[in-house]
Amino acid sequence: MTPLVTLVDLMRSSIQWRLTFYFLLILIPIIAISLYAIDRSEHIVRQQVDVRTKEAMLATLDQIDVFMNGVDQLTVQISGNREMNRLLEGRRGTTEMIMNAVALKQEIVNIALMSGQVSDVWMIVDPLGTLISPNTGGRSFHYEGLSWYRSTIEAKGGLVLTVPSPDAPLPREPYVYGEPSFDPAQHAGLLTLTRKMGIGIHGTAASRSVVGVSVSKRKLLEFGTRLLFTDDSHIFLVSPQGELIASTLSEPASVPWSEWVGRNVSGRKVPYSSDPMYVTSVSSQASGWSMLLVQPERLITSETAQLQRFTVATIAVSLALALGVSLIVYSGIASPMRSLLNGMRQWKSGKRQVQLTNHRSDEFGLLTEEFNRMVELQDRYIRESYEYLLQKTETELKFLQSQINPHFLYNTLDSIYWETKNYDAGASSEMVLCLSKFFRLSLMKGRQAFTMRETMEHLNYYIRIQQLRFGDSIVFEQRISPESADLFVLKLILQPLVENAIVHGLEKKPGGGTLTISSDVEGEDLVIRVEDSGNGIPAERLRYIREELSEVTSQSLRSLSQPRVELFGIVNVKTRLKLYYGEGSDVVVESEEGRGTRSVVRIPVELCRSDIKGGGVA
């Protein structure tokens, strides 16, 4: 069974599930719209934050560009300084060149003092093979094989930016004079801009002297520190050639910064943070430099976090209210309905005195009160009707029996009369004796039913009277099975059938015949058969008898209101059976003309287990 089928079955069988589903169905569009609003607001906030962040980063790049342009202008100013280029001319003697180098140093010191934003200003004096700077003074320097020097000479006055390699060493401080291994362009914390001397001055094109200005990476990063709001936010500066110029991250190689240049990336994991990071990239149109800002994604979504929490809280409260309201509605409406339904089921199952607890004063309280009143009235009506029916049934049974006694008495007295007239007094005496015993058993202790054994003893007296009457031309046989011998049947229920068998069957047959009474338990019924070997019943007469018997039910007393003399006995038997044993009992007449008649009585065995005094069934 699928979950959908299970849900449908629950909704069909439970009002509470149905109410809950309907309330949730109302909330689904609201929840969907709320979730969509959260997503859209987050998207809009991301766009706005991205735009503002890019604007701030471009402004920072503009500041860096302005600063680097100033450094560039400083190299141009030094490279084109006529006095400094004159001091670099190599057509003088060694002593004069040394004096000129001292003068150049002083000039450089003055320029460095005036340019407080740079870290160092130095110059390679090619005629002397010397490096001079305010920090190191003058010292010999092997520069001819250095790549940045060759690039500067080949640039023919153009600016060359040198980014130190990641493993560039930090020089010892103070610098040792004359240390040839120190390379000023490979300081790990500096960027160096170099330009060939003699730019724009006639006659200096062959000069191989170079001026260099070193800028602190930290100085460049300070321009972007206002963009960093958390300790795990970092900036990356990238040259137009794709080289990492500077970064606030101590180990920039641990992140794939080169993959992020030129595009925005969100939700990335980086080694130095467990939170998702958002990467923003911008490039300067003037210098071609790029800047990357890596910051936690929570900074971007913080503006929508409160809205998200509020929306989620609203959804949770709405769901709780839906469940609560459905429970309240169920308790207020469905619960009393279910209580009424349970009460009706109990009443239907036979619990006639069911009363529902009622503490309400609304419509459901009135409905419950009316139900209790209806059950009480129905119970009273049923009791009164049942008692009335019992009394009526008992009265009818006694009335039917009272009809049998005079009728039988009349026939018996008639038999005594003819016997006395035609025979001697001995037979008459036996007849009178059997008659007295018959009535004594009929009236014994006011019982309404006897066992089959007692019933047969009772019938023996009647049959003996008839045998005396007809001169023993009637042969009597009885076959009572052990299973049926102790079962109770209504008294005098078989006597009319035996009388019919003798009077209408055997009496009219010359020479008499055989009367057989048998009883047995067949399935759920006690079956009693009264058979005679008389002349039988014609087919048309048999059809008439069966039609008359079919109209007799437990609710019909047609035999009392319109008695038919010729069918009085058999109709009386069936009427008493229906009144006493209900519709499960019956009497059927079977006959074949010329071969005898059989009357079959069927009674449910369960109703024959005991003698119900004053009995009867509704």
Side-chain angles (χ1 to χ4, degrees), residues 15-187:
I15 295 177
Q16 185 178 11
W17 277 95
R18 200 175 307 153
L19 289 173
T20 303
F21 175 77
Y22 290 152
F23 279 116
L24 293 179
L25 190 64
I26 295 174
L27 290 177
I28 286 176
I30 300 176
I31 294 174
I33 293 173
S34 300
L35 295 177
Y36 176 77
I38 291 176
D39 181 71
R40 291 301 303 166
S41 63
E42 183 175 343
H43 179 70
I44 293 172
V45 169
R46 280 180 178 273
Q47 288 182 331
Q48 293 177 347
V49 171
D50 190 52
V51 169
R52 292 198 299 266
T53 302
K54 286 186 175 181
E55 289 177 352
M57 292 173 66
L58 287 174
T60 301
L61 273 181
D62 288 341
Q63 293 177 349
I64 293 176
D65 286 345
V66 170
F67 175 75
M68 295 303 293
N69 285 334
V71 176
D72 184 20
Q73 291 301 317
L74 179 60
T75 61
V76 172
Q77 179 184 350
I78 296 174
S79 176
N81 189 294
R82 291 184 178 274
E83 179 61 24
M84 297 179 72
N85 279 286
R86 185 186 64 78
L87 294 175
L88 288 171
E89 292 179 0
R91 294 189 297 274
R92 298 179 176 84
T94 302
T95 302
E96 186 177 359
M97 285 300 300
I98 292 174
M99 295 300 295
N100 289 346
V102 173
L104 284 171
K105 177 186 176 183
Q106 187 60 44
E107 289 290 337
I108 290 173
V109 170
N110 293 335
I111 293 173
L113 290 175
M114 289 186 296
S115 304
Q117 300 295 322
V118 300
S119 298
D120 195 9
V121 179
W122 47 270
M123 182 180 292
I124 292 178
V125 181
D126 183 61
L128 294 176
T130 304
L131 171 67
I132 59 175
S133 74
N135 294 328
T136 62
R139 64 181 178 85
S140 298
F141 182 55
H142 304 295
Y143 52 84
E144 290 83 358
L146 300 177
S147 60
W148 62 265
Y149 176 77
R150 292 196 304 270
S151 298
T152 303
I153 297 302
E154 292 171 0
K156 298 179 180 180
L159 184 67
V160 175
L161 174 64
T162 301
V163 181
S165 61
D167 55 351
L170 288 171
R172 289 183 296 168
E173 297 180 2
Y175 306 128
V176 179
Y177 180 78
E179 183 180 4
S181 61
F182 171 66
D183 185 352
Q186 291 298 323
H187 190 296

Side-chain angles (χ1 to χ4, degrees), residues 57-322:
M57 292 173 66
L58 287 174
T60 301
L61 273 181
D62 288 341
Q63 293 177 349
I64 293 176
D65 286 345
V66 170
F67 175 75
M68 295 303 293
N69 285 334
V71 176
D72 184 20
Q73 291 301 317
L74 179 60
T75 61
V76 172
Q77 179 184 350
I78 296 174
S79 176
N81 189 294
R82 291 184 178 274
E83 179 61 24
M84 297 179 72
N85 279 286
R86 185 186 64 78
L87 294 175
L88 288 171
E89 292 179 0
R91 294 189 297 274
R92 298 179 176 84
T94 302
T95 302
E96 186 177 359
M97 285 300 300
I98 292 174
M99 295 300 295
N100 289 346
V102 173
L104 284 171
K105 177 186 176 183
Q106 187 60 44
E107 289 290 337
I108 290 173
V109 170
N110 293 335
I111 293 173
L113 290 175
M114 289 186 296
S115 304
Q117 300 295 322
V118 300
S119 298
D120 195 9
V121 179
W122 47 270
M123 182 180 292
I124 292 178
V125 181
D126 183 61
L128 294 176
T130 304
L131 171 67
I132 59 175
S133 74
N135 294 328
T136 62
R139 64 181 178 85
S140 298
F141 182 55
H142 304 295
Y143 52 84
E144 290 83 358
L146 300 177
S147 60
W148 62 265
Y149 176 77
R150 292 196 304 270
S151 298
T152 303
I153 297 302
E154 292 171 0
K156 298 179 180 180
L159 184 67
V160 175
L161 174 64
T162 301
V163 181
S165 61
D167 55 351
L170 288 171
R172 289 183 296 168
E173 297 180 2
Y175 306 128
V176 179
Y177 180 78
E179 183 180 4
S181 61
F182 171 66
D183 185 352
Q186 291 298 323
H187 190 296
L190 302 176
L191 295 177
T192 302
L193 288 79
T194 57
R195 192 185 294 274
K196 190 171 77 71
M197 291 297 295
I199 182 173
I201 300 177
H202 181 70
T204 61
S207 174
R208 297 184 64 83
S209 297
V210 173
V211 63
V213 178
S214 297
V215 178
S216 172
K217 293 181 180 180
R218 182 173 298 178
K219 179 65 179 177
L220 295 177
L221 294 175
E222 286 178 357
F223 288 104
T225 53
R226 63 187 182 87
L227 301 175
L228 305 178
F229 297 102
T230 61
D231 293 338
D232 51 356
S233 299
H234 294 284
I235 292 176
F236 297 81
L237 288 176
V238 182
S239 70
Q241 291 74 30
E243 298 177 296
L244 181 62
I245 297 174
S247 174
T248 57
L249 186 63
S250 59
E251 296 181 1
S254 63
V255 297
W257 57 266
S258 59
E259 300 177 5
W260 301 339
V261 177
R263 65 192 185 99
N264 289 349
V265 182
S266 63
R268 288 301 178 93
K269 292 288 187 180
V270 294
Y272 64 84
S273 176
S274 59
D275 296 330
M277 306 301 286
Y278 189 84
V279 181
T280 306
S281 174
V282 296
S283 298
S284 172
Q285 295 181 354
S287 63
W289 283 33
S290 297
M291 175 181 286
L292 302 176
L293 174 60
V294 182
Q295 56 186 338
E297 201 168 31
R298 65 176 181 274
L299 296 179
I300 299 174
T301 59
S302 61
E303 296 187 23
T304 60
Q306 184 175 0
L307 175 61
Q308 291 177 356
R309 288 193 294 270
F310 177 77
T311 304
V312 171
T314 302
I315 293 174
V317 171
S318 300
L319 291 175
L321 287 176

